[in-house]
Amino acid sequence: PRGLRSVPPLAQPASRSQERLATCVEFSLCAAPRRPRDPPSRGVPLEIRGSGWRDRVRPRLRAGRPRTRARDPMSFDTLGLPEPLLRALATAGYAAPTDVQAAAIPAALAGRDLRVSSRTGSGKTASFMLPALARVLAARAAAAAASPTGRGSRPPRNGSPRVLVLAPTRELAQQVARAAQDYGRHVPHLTVATVVGGVPYGLQQRMLGATPDIVVATPGRLLDHRGARVTRLDPVEPLVLDEADRMLD
């Protein structure tokens, strides 16, 4: 509202709340996104808006106005990712997470349902693939702990993948599969199956029959294999709809 911009500046804020008010009144948008005090229940998706919103709400700094403090640099080490994934990120040259990754990865690791919106190139693929790979590693560790020999790195799943990613196009599915292999390069015996059109059914049936850890598919081709009862999908844990808006077109 225009009335907010008519509030006189506070030369020396008496409290932190006044300091935030003095900064907020100069935002181009009226309200900046902020984390709610009480997170919604697990059944309600947590909505995350990634890179780009800071460009829309960046404060206009003027003389006499309190300046915002620079945020401490964040690293992937603080997000709770397993060591093999951190090594893969270091190998790929990624030093710090983007805004959408910093917001989505901890919530996904905690098992939250997420609805993430961010512009192209902001790192959305890593924001869901890294937690999915962490889930694969956690399941293997649990199976090894339950095994009498302390092994059992790949628990049986009765022909079902552990992670399913649906993408609207073949090109995007192949891109996501490559990202899964890059981020999971230090995950022992990781298997990623790409189920898209233009590939012989027999080859894809053999890949699905081998119970891959991750399946990246387009909906139409996956439904074909589902109808042929080649794979089961009910035990899938993380389900990702990549670019869900395009799949609804």
Side-chain angles (χ1 to χ4, degrees), residues 134-185:
R135 183 71 65 90
V136 171
L137 288 169
R140 292 185 179 184
S147 174
T149 61
R151 299 179 182 178
S153 59
R154 293 196 66 194
R157 296 190 300 278
N158 300 321
S160 169
R162 185 169 301 281
V163 180
L164 174 61
V165 181
L166 293 180
T169 65
R170 177 177 63 179
E171 292 74 16
L172 181 57
Q174 292 171 338
Q175 177 183 339
V176 171
R178 287 193 299 268
Q181 293 169 343
D182 289 341
Y183 299 138
R185 66 181 67 188

Side-chain angles (χ1 to χ4, degrees), residues 208 219-235:
L208 292 173
R221 179 55 66 95
L222 183 63
L223 287 174
D224 293 340
H225 290 291
R226 175 66 173 154
R229 298 186 178 181
V230 176
T231 184
R232 296 177 55 195
L233 301 179
D234 47 301

Side-chain angles (χ1 to χ4, degrees), residues 11 18-20 26 33 45 54 73 78 83 88 113 157 161 198 200 248:
Q18 290 180 337
E19 181 179 0
R20 285 197 297 265
E26 286 301 309
R54 282 191 172 82
T78 63
E83 188 272 338
D113 292 330
R157 296 190 300 278
L248 296 176

Side-chain angles (χ1 to χ4, degrees), residues 4 8 14 33 45 63 86-87 93 102-103 120-121 130-131 136-137 143 146 150 179 195 242 244-246:
L4 282 180
L86 295 176
R87 276 196 292 152
T120 303
L130 289 171
V136 171
L137 288 169
V195 180
D242 194 10
D245 54 339
R246 292 185 57 187

Side-chain angles (χ1 to χ4, degrees), residues 2-113:
R2 295 181 179 178
L4 282 180
R5 296 190 177 91
S6 64
V7 176
L10 300 174
Q12 296 181 351
S15 65
R16 180 174 294 273
S17 61
Q18 290 180 337
E19 181 179 0
R20 285 197 297 265
L21 174 62
T23 303
C24 184
V25 296
E26 286 301 309
F27 279 3
S28 298
L29 294 184
C30 199
R34 57 185 177 182
R35 182 177 302 174
R37 293 183 179 179
D38 298 320
S41 63
R42 185 167 179 173
V44 179
L46 175 63
E47 186 166 359
I48 296 175
R49 297 187 180 275
S51 301
W53 70 263
R54 282 191 172 82
D55 296 335
R56 299 194 298 272
V57 299
R58 182 179 291 116
R60 297 193 298 266
L61 300 176
R62 299 178 180 175
R65 303 282 175 140
R67 292 181 172 270
T68 56
R69 298 178 181 177
R71 294 190 308 164
D72 295 333
M74 181 176 292
S75 67
F76 285 104
D77 298 337
T78 63
L79 300 183
L81 292 171
E83 188 272 338
L85 304 184
L86 295 176
R87 276 196 292 152
L89 291 169
T91 302
Y94 298 116
T98 63
D99 288 345
V100 67
Q101 292 166 358
I105 289 176
L109 290 175
R112 296 292 304 274
D113 292 330

